Amino acid sequence: AMAFVKKEHPAKSVVKGFMTGGSMVVMSYPLEYCKTQMQLQSKSNPEYANMVECFKKTVKNHGFGGLYKGASVRIFGAGFQQMFRWGAYTNISNLFRDDKGKISVIGNTISGLGAGVVEAVCAVTPVETIKTRVNDDMRRGTGNYKGSGDAIVKILKSEGPLGLYRGALPTILKQACNQAVRMPLQLQFFTMISFGDESKKKKPIYNGIAGAMAGVGSVFLTQPQDCVKSRMQGEKAKELYKGTLDCAMKMFRNEGITVFFAGSLPRSIQMAANVGLTFALYPVIGQILDKVWS
């Protein structure tokens, strides 16, 4: 399906996914940090007018390291996320491929959907919960958590494992839609910009540009789920909302339709960077691994 996914040992796609995810987060985390801050702040009394101000204030108050607050859990989390995504995608898509390795758009969409559900349950929901609560804690100045590790221990102690699965439904919906849309979109955009030239499949720049375009396309289809998810994972969510639907209804009633598209611009930039990097890095890391692991 992807211009560069081929039949290979399942363990290899897992290792490739882990390395891709970790490298990608180190490069793009400050954007993600600013996106979360913009979504968590109150619309009626915002702390930051825009992303640049958020960036400047964070560096001024917390130093450059402030932009990487909660990043350690994301670096490992993204490693595991990409590991589950590519592992699931490679294995599910193998069921739909013909002898030449070709796959239909429907097969590709179902494989993406499956990969999205697997990564949401196994990696994304707990990682996002921890990241959002650590960032929300820093924003409120409540000082509940020293960092990601401390947050995991305290959440498990006070709320049990289910505490890490708050906002699971919007997350599963978001990831499933994301991958179901993104996998076929990347292939369509790749075919468009490469003019169907098969020899360009190994070139990171083409895979990267097609990935970035697919990333932005998927943002607008999944931004409402992302906004609800951020609210559901905030520190005060338990007191404010009964569940996912209640949270969405209250957001709509109190703040109008635009609340569901808060942070779309930083998320579009972040997704273009993330998805572009993923699709560019994955085959490159694959080529390096092929040299040592045949």
Side-chain angles (χ1 to χ4, degrees):
M2 291 310 77
F4 43 78
V5 169
K6 52 189 189 290
K7 288 197 172 187
E8 63 183 3
H9 194 286
K12 200 179 196 177
S13 57
V14 164
V15 173
K16 266 176 16 187
F18 190 84
M19 291 166 74
T20 303
S23 324
M24 179 190 80
V25 172
V26 173
M27 295 169 171
S28 67
Y29 189 80
L31 270 173
E32 176 161 353
Y33 171 81
C34 291
K35 179 207 81 167
T36 309
Q37 293 298 323
M38 299 286 288
Q39 284 178 339
L40 288 171
Q41 68 180 0
S42 125
K43 282 278 162 295
S44 49
N45 183 22
E47 286 162 79
Y48 312 111
N50 52 40
M51 277 203 59
V52 180
E53 195 188 340
C54 176
F55 192 91
K56 281 182 181 159
K57 276 189 176 168
T58 305
V59 174
K60 190 175 154 207
N61 299 334
H62 304 280
F64 191 70
L67 294 168
Y68 279 90
K69 181 86 174 163
S72 59
V73 72
R74 271 296 280 139
I75 292 168
F76 282 100
F80 284 116
Q81 179 183 345
Q82 297 285 347
M83 177 176 104
F84 284 115
R85 175 185 302 170
W86 291 105
Y89 178 79
T90 309
N91 291 307
I92 298 169
S93 67
N94 281 345
L95 305 172
F96 292 98
R97 289 180 196 283
D98 60 18
D99 299 339
K100 292 183 184 144
K102 290 256 190 272
I103 188 169
S104 70
V105 173
I106 299 213
N108 202 355
T109 305
I110 294 169
S111 306
L113 194 78
V117 172
V118 170
E119 72 175 358
V121 174
C122 298
V124 182
T125 308
V127 166
E128 288 278 324
T129 301
I130 295 154
K131 181 202 78 178
T132 305
R133 288 179 71 166
V134 169
N135 283 348
D136 204 13
D137 180 51
M138 178 165 113
R139 187 180 66 87
R140 290 171 186 273
T142 36
N144 292 335
Y145 311 121
K146 293 190 193 83
S148 304
D150 186 42
I152 296 172
V153 174
K154 284 183 177 161
I155 292 168
L156 284 174
K157 226 182 226 162
S158 63
E159 299 169 48
L162 283 179
L164 297 176
Y165 277 87
R166 214 189 279 168
L169 185 66
T171 307
I172 291 169
L173 287 174
K174 184 187 103 177
Q175 296 306 125
C177 293
N178 257 343
Q179 301 313 325
V181 170
R182 207 176 281 166
M183 296 297 192
L185 266 185
Q186 197 268 350
L187 196 59
Q188 298 306 319
F189 285 133
F190 180 85
T191 311
M192 258 166 49
I193 59 177
S194 66
F195 298 104
D197 179 352
E198 295 284 310
S199 68
K200 293 188 171 134
K201 285 188 175 176
K202 286 225 174 356
K203 295 198 171 161
I205 185 95
Y206 283 93
N207 282 313
I209 292 168
M213 290 159 80
V216 173
S218 65
V219 163
F220 289 94
L221 293 167
T222 60
Q223 186 66 15
Q225 294 97 303
D226 193 56
C227 290
V228 175
K229 173 192 74 67
S230 281
R231 289 288 175 94
M232 286 289 291
Q233 291 170 337
E235 275 291 277
K236 290 263 179 277
K238 227 176 179 170
E239 298 150 39
L240 294 172
Y241 314 115
K242 292 191 193 83
T244 303
L245 197 63
D246 181 50
C247 176
M249 298 293 284
K250 281 183 176 159
M251 286 167 72
F252 179 65
R253 270 204 302 271
N254 301 335
E255 299 167 71
I257 192 83
T258 54
V259 69
F260 294 112
F261 291 92
S264 316
L265 182 66
R267 188 164 170 245
S268 293
I269 300 167
Q270 182 210 343
M271 274 302 149
N274 270 4
V275 183
L277 279 169
T278 302
F279 282 108
L281 285 169
Y282 188 77
V284 172
I285 288 172
Q287 284 163 22
I288 298 165
L289 266 184
D290 286 343
K291 293 193 170 85
V292 292
W293 179 358
S294 51

